[in-house]
Structure formats: C-alpha cells, structure tokens
Amino acid sequence: MEFLKNRWILALVSLGLGGAYMYASWHKISDPPDFAKIIYNYRIVPAALVNLAAIYLPWFEILAGLAVVTGIGRRGGALGLTFLALVFIAALSFNLYRGHPTICGCFDTHAQGVTMTVEEKFFKMKREIALDALFAVLGVWIFIASSRPRQAAAGLTLSAS
Amino acid sequence: MKNPAAQLAVLILLMAAAGTVSNFARSSNPETFLRWVDAGRYPKALDVEPPSPAVSSAAAVTPAHAVKPGPAQSGSPSVTPAPSAATVPTPKPDASAQQSSDDPPGAAAQGPEGASPGTVAAPAAATGEYVLVNIDRAFEEFQAGTQFIDARRTREYEKGHIPGALSLSPWEADLPDKISKLIEDGAVTEAPVVIYCNDSKECTDSKMVNDQLKIAGFVNILIYKGGWPEWSREKPKLVVQGREPGKYTPSPQQP
C-alpha cells in the first residue's frame, strides 16, 4: 500500500478529483438559475436557501478543486470536496429512499434531465451515488496522503529506485 | 498555512467573495442573475410531488376537470368537481366549444396520452391549484387567440416557441417585472391563459408561473401538460423563433 503515498500518484489523483469538480462547477457558475432549478428539484433545501446555494456552492467546488489540483491548500480542499461528496450522497440517497426522482446536476444541466424517464433518473441517481462515494474515498486519500511530510513521500521514490 | 481547517476557512471566504462578485456582475442580466433570497418563488421547496402517472390515472377515473394539490396533502393532487362549462369565461366562438362542453368529465386532466378532446375546466382561483389540459384543448385555445405563456428559460424560448407566447421563466429574476408589465399592457386577469414548459411530466415550471400569476390576480389559468416537447412534435409548423412572441396567421393548410 506504500504506492498510495507516492507523490506522483497523489498528484495524478488530485488532478483527477480536483479537475472533475472544477469541470462539474463550470456550467453551474455560467448559469446559476439552472443550478437553482436543480437544487429546488431535490426538495430538500428550504426556499430561502435555494438561490444562495446556487450562487455559492459552485464557487466552492471550483476553488476547492483548484486547491487540490495546484496543491495550495490541498488538505483543506480535499476536506471540502469530501464533505461535498458526502452531502451529495446523502441528498441523492434520501430522494432515492423516498422515491423522488431527480437529476444529480453534478455534471449535467437541468434541461438534460427533462427527457429522462423516472427509471432512468433512478438509475442515474444510483450511479451518481457510487461516483460520489468514489470521490469521497479519493478525497480522504488525498487528505491523508498530503499530510505526510514532503521528504517522506519523496523518500518512497528514492527507496524504490 | 498547514492547518486544513484554516485552509478550508480561506476557501469559504474566497467562495463568498467570488459568488457575491459574480452574482452582482450579473445583476444587469435577468436571465442569469439570481435574487439573493427569493423564498416567495419557491413555496413548494420541500414538497415532493407524486410521479405524474398517478396524477393522470387519478384524473382519468374521477369525474372532475380540475386537478389541484391542496396544502394538506403536501402537494399530492386531488381532484375537485368542476362547475358547468357554461360558467367559465372562455372565449370559444366556434363549434368546438359546444363539443368540448359535452365531453365526458375528466377529459381535461387526462394529459396528452389520453388524447381525448380537452374540456372547459374550472378556474382554479387559489395559489397552488392548477388545471391541466391536453394538446387538443391547448390547440383550441390557441385558435381562439388565448394568451400563451412560455415558462421555459429565455434561451430555450428563443430557439422556438408557440406563436404569440410570452416568455415568463420562473427561474429568471425579472419574472415579477414581466408580470407587472403584462398587467400594465392591459391583460385581462379574468381571461384564460395557457402556460407550458419543457417538462411534460411534472410541469414544475408551469406550476410556479401559475402560482405567480394567481398572486397577480389571474383566475383562469390552464397548464398545457404536454408542453413544448409535445407541441413541437405535433405542431411543427406552429412554431416561431426569436425573442419576440411572433404572430399566428390561421390558414386552412395549418395543422
């Protein structure tokens, strides 16, 4: 399991996770009303918070993603992205449990979900939960692996050679 | 800064600054600007509606025209008896109006799959109530010159809409201004209006506009359940593009 602490693998995983969140945030930042519509359709967020969440949440995604990718404040970014993934898992699971089909809005716009059937939405919700679980695991991994002193991580490479 | 909690705090501060600045920067564009707190627009933010097939089946077997979700049922539609069609101030100068009033009750709420002629539905006066109509009824209203309201986003409206329809998206910040202008321009609140959107399952956007119009005093609102997906498929010649509502010129060749 030592390879999990290799800084190159860590950098690659950070790029993947941070990049995924940055990519996911872009359409939300460019069109906040569309994201507000997605949040509203979760039927979890109180009315007064729908717009605020739509305005601020995508910026947290992109900034935390940027922190993870660049390594500037990586542990804080990983912590934030892990928390977001857990929130998404909870929201999707709750709606799945009560039988309320919605679209995740993670990587797609609201309009893309309009043509989907209820069954397709449920299937996609399960898939998104699995993806968010993976993101949460990667976030924890990055958080833990980044906590090691840089020299120790580099030493792994040296000892391998 | 090595402390992850401190890093997280910095990220949150940056988020607050970036979100605030970006939304302020959009304040001149109502299509992408969000009001900071707009709770009044989301009265059902925590209500879960049942899947639409349940609405259709309930309406199909119950002798009624209007489907209304009462607050006690937390959004679940109930079917209410409708008064006689003659009491509804719907302009129907042609013979189809008489035919419609003779249709079996419940036809209006069957949705597009029902494919039965739409009937005159009772006005749903209270906020939260709505009347669903199918494409036949929507087309009758269209031919009668009823005002149509497009509840989709403006950019979708520009790509194509029903001729004469006004763009009123519940997700865009200028909705109250547009409704005020509609009334200032002389819209009769007792006259019927037909709302449609992009979602022919839940009609969420149409229902949100319905609520806002009810608050503004409109009393005879119909929601065209099939909405834009069905209309653009079934009436492809009755579509116009651009920001302007456009006009409909009836002709014998029109579908």
Side-chain angles (χ1 to χ4, degrees), chain B residues 44-63:
Chain B
K44 301 185 186 75
L46 299 176
D47 292 349
V48 176
E49 297 184 23
S52 55
V55 176
S56 297
S57 58
V61 298
T62 312

Side-chain angles (χ1 to χ4, degrees), chain B:
Chain B
M1 193 187 307
K2 300 290 183 188
N3 186 344
Q7 293 171 353
L8 198 57
V10 170
L11 283 174
I12 291 170
L13 285 175
L14 288 173
M15 170 200 76
T20 304
V21 169
S22 72
N23 202 43
F24 265 125
R26 289 190 176 101
S27 56
S28 60
N29 182 3
E31 290 173 26
T32 54
F33 172 71
L34 274 179
R35 291 172 189 267
W36 301 98
V37 178
D38 205 356
R41 199 176 292 192
Y42 311 126
K44 301 185 186 75
L46 299 176
D47 292 349
V48 176
E49 297 184 23
S52 55
V55 176
S56 297
S57 58
V61 298
T62 312
H65 296 210
V67 179
K68 67 164 191 175
Q73 295 86 13
S74 70
S76 82
S78 63
V79 182
T80 56
S84 148
T87 64
V88 180
T90 306
K92 288 195 168 298
D94 55 354
S96 63
Q98 185 58 47
Q99 177 61 41
S100 294
S101 63
D102 292 338
D103 285 335
Q110 284 183 351
E113 292 78 16
S116 57
T119 58
V120 178
T127 301
E129 294 182 357
Y130 53 88
V131 178
L132 297 176
V133 296
N134 61 18
I135 189 167
D136 295 331
R137 172 66 191 278
F139 186 58
E140 282 176 24
E141 296 292 343
F142 177 76
Q143 288 179 310
T146 300
Q147 179 65 60
F148 273 61
I149 304 280
D150 190 320
R152 299 173 301 151
R153 298 290 303 283
T154 301
R155 62 167 186 266
E156 294 171 309
Y157 173 87
E158 289 175 5
K159 289 177 187 170
H161 57 267
I162 297 176
L166 297 174
S167 174
L168 266 75
S169 170
W171 301 101
E172 294 177 0
D174 57 352
L175 177 68
D177 300 336
K178 284 183 174 177
I179 292 176
S180 299
K181 188 174 184 303
L182 189 63
I183 293 173
E184 286 170 11
D185 288 348
V188 180
T189 53
E190 288 77 23
V193 294
V194 179
I195 311 173
Y196 67 93
C197 67
N198 218 5
D199 182 358
S200 48
K201 301 183 187 78
E202 304 295 337
C203 302
T204 306
D205 294 356
S206 296
K207 290 170 190 170
M208 292 173 77
V209 173
N210 168 64
D211 291 348
Q212 298 299 315
L213 289 175
K214 289 270 170 59
I215 292 169
F218 286 83
V219 293
N220 193 3
I221 301 173
L222 310 174
I223 292 178
Y224 167 31
K225 187 172 187 298
W228 178 250
E230 186 184 50
W231 184 277
S232 57
R233 190 175 62 244
E234 301 293 327
K235 312 280 183 191
K237 292 180 180 174
L238 294 179
V239 169
V240 292
Q241 294 179 329
R243 291 186 77 91
E244 298 302 319
K247 287 182 179 177
Y248 165 59
T249 308
S251 71
Q253 285 77 36
Q254 296 282 14

